[in-house]
Amino acid sequence: FPYTTLFRSGTMESLIDFMQLFIKDCESGVRLSPKRQLIKPKSLSTYYTTKSYINKFEKQLQRKLILSDFNQKDIDQMSDFLIIDSELAMNTHAKIMMDLLQVIKYAVYLKKIPPSRLIELKFDTRREETDSIYLTENEILELMAISDFQNPVEEHVRDVFVVGCFTAMRFSDYSTLDGSAIRNNRYEFVQKKTGEKVTVPIHPFVKQILEKYNYSLPQVPPNNEFNRVIKIIGSKLKSLQIPFIKQITYKRERVQINMMKHEFLQTHTARRSFCSNEYLRGTDPMVIMAISGHKSHKSFMRYIKITNDQYADQLEQIWAKRT
């Protein structure tokens, strides 16, 4: 370590050293999930990210954080470092704080710090609802009608994205859909993120795309590159060449991001589009949740991005049916 550290009374184990033990125990299966299952690779990845931010925070402090001395002031200062200095989104900050809380809980479990520490320490794990976009059914049809691609990759990205729009899958699942596993127009698979098994009916448009590729979807770029390409494709739609205002918390202030709607397209827009469109169609939320794999109504409703005008339209339709 490039600078001098003054150790106080108690154990001199650093927070970073214990974090490494925490990750090692997660990888080896010594520490399991609340369901007594192995920790998923995606969670392990976020633990490494959290560790890297702790390292950066220590360099700014110019001292090591000691596990037994870790206190509320350290947490609050780290929170400022993440939000103000690192300019992280509120939801990313919340994830790091949740990871840090798990680390402290594990330290208590191993009797490295007293249980009272969990009562004393407060971790800000608040999340915020974001103004994320979704594509209407008409916009998806417009997307499907595009034929002027610059290269085959653009067409592959468009087709695979549309599969996501009609299956409610996450990118990690719809980009690797195994067409040969479809039976009786049903696709049963285990979600990579949650480990839960779901069964998705094959929509006619999905079947059309699968037949185009002989039931073997083309390989597409990883998430970040996919996002870049789908934005380019989206820019071809007149319906997406309109301003869109997204409100987020930036450096503890509510700010507005003004861009064209197609610039907000990303892999997750597909899953959000399925949930929102089916909800607008009047599909029972429990049916949608069974397909999307949502376990709670609260988490499901985060995906419903419907405008006030659309809600008003729905109510007017209900009134019309009563007359």
Side-chain angles (χ1 to χ4, degrees):
F1 214 74
Y3 33 79
T4 303
T5 303
L6 296 177
F7 294 109
R8 284 171 273 185
S9 60
T11 177
M12 294 187 293
E13 183 174 14
S14 72
L15 179 63
I16 280 292
D17 287 343
F18 182 73
M19 181 93 190
Q20 186 57 48
L21 172 67
F22 170 85
I23 294 174
K24 179 183 176 182
D25 284 356
C26 289
E27 291 176 328
S28 65
V30 172
R31 178 183 178 269
L32 299 173
S33 73
K35 293 183 179 180
R36 307 303 295 168
Q37 297 175 344
L38 293 174
I39 304 298
K40 293 181 174 57
K42 186 166 185 177
S43 294
L44 290 171
S45 175
T46 68
Y47 294 154
Y48 276 107
T49 299
T50 296
K51 181 187 171 188
S52 71
Y53 275 109
I54 294 175
N55 265 319
K56 294 174 184 177
F57 176 54
E58 285 185 333
K59 288 180 180 179
Q60 185 186 78
L61 284 180
Q62 295 193 350
R63 68 176 173 87
K64 277 189 176 180
L65 295 169
I66 307 305
L67 178 64
S68 61
D69 294 334
F70 192 59
N71 55 46
Q72 190 63 49
K73 182 178 179 181
D74 292 329
I75 294 174
D76 293 342
Q77 286 183 328
M78 184 172 179
S79 182
D80 285 340
F81 167 76
L82 295 172
I83 292 176
I84 306 299
D85 300 305
S86 301
E87 301 183 0
L88 297 185
M90 188 172 176
N91 292 347
T92 306
H93 166 269
K95 184 67 182 76
I96 293 174
M97 286 290 122
M98 286 189 282
D99 286 349
L100 194 54
L101 173 58
Q102 294 306 313
V103 171
I104 298 303
K105 284 183 177 180
Y106 196 54
V108 171
Y109 173 75
L110 295 182
K111 295 182 170 56
K112 290 181 177 284
I113 55 178
S116 59
R117 192 64 58 85
L118 283 176
I119 301 174
E120 298 167 359
L121 300 179
K122 305 298 180 185
F123 296 84
D124 184 2
T125 58
R126 291 174 298 164
R127 298 174 61 87
E128 70 175 344
E129 296 298 321
T130 58
D131 299 322
S132 302
I133 68 167
Y134 80 98
L135 298 187
T136 65
E137 291 183 352
N138 286 336
E139 289 168 342
I140 297 172
L141 292 176
E142 285 183 58
L143 195 67
M144 293 177 66
I146 294 175
S147 59
D148 57 327
F149 297 104
Q150 297 297 316
N151 52 64
V153 173
E154 287 188 0
E155 184 173 6
H156 295 165
V157 165
R158 187 278 308 273
D159 289 343
V160 171
F161 179 81
V162 170
V163 168
C165 289
F166 289 105
T167 59
M169 293 181 182
R170 297 178 180 84
F171 176 71
S172 57
D173 294 318
Y174 71 73
S175 63
T176 58
L177 187 151
D178 180 9
S180 65
I182 296 172
R183 298 288 183 274
N184 300 319
N185 207 51
R186 300 285 187 273
Y187 180 57
E188 185 177 82
F189 70 102
V190 176
Q191 293 181 323
K192 289 183 174 64
K193 179 179 179 180
T194 66
E196 299 292 334
K197 185 165 67 175
V198 297
T199 301
V200 177
I202 301 301
H203 189 280
F205 289 144
V206 174
K207 184 178 181 181
Q208 178 181 321
I209 293 172
L210 288 171
E211 289 176 344
K212 175 180 177 180
Y213 295 102
N214 197 25
Y215 280 81
S216 180
L217 289 178
Q219 186 174 359
V220 290
N223 202 308
N224 288 341
E225 177 62 12
F226 192 104
N227 285 339
R228 185 188 71 80
V229 175
I230 196 62
K231 287 177 173 62
I232 293 174
I233 299 169
S235 67
K236 300 175 185 291
L237 301 186
K238 288 185 178 180
S239 59
L240 299 185
Q241 293 176 354
I242 59 174
F244 184 84
I245 299 175
K246 182 174 182 177
Q247 291 185 314
I248 63 168
T249 300
Y250 177 72
K251 292 189 174 184
R252 302 199 188 283
E253 292 185 7
R254 196 68 170 168
V255 299
Q256 293 183 346
I257 299 177
N258 297 275
M259 294 195 303
M260 302 303 284
K261 189 175 179 180
H262 65 81
E263 295 181 274
F264 289 103
L265 275 174
Q266 55 182 319
T267 57
H268 217 58
T269 305
R271 179 170 163 85
R272 193 179 301 113
S273 298
F274 175 92
C275 294
S276 296
N277 286 324
E278 288 299 327
Y279 188 82
L280 272 173
R281 283 282 192 175
T283 304
D284 187 331
M286 294 301 294
V287 172
I288 306 174
M289 290 169 62
I291 302 301
S292 65
H294 284 103
K295 291 301 179 184
S296 72
H297 190 263
K298 181 179 180 180
S299 63
F300 165 70
M301 288 305 296
R302 294 195 188 107
Y303 280 73
I304 307 304
K305 302 299 179 181
I306 299 175
T307 66
N308 289 335
D309 278 340
Q310 288 171 315
Y311 278 122
D313 289 342
Q314 281 190 318
L315 184 56
E316 286 179 343
Q317 291 171 12
I318 292 172
W319 288 345
K321 290 179 182 178
R322 289 177 184 171
T323 57

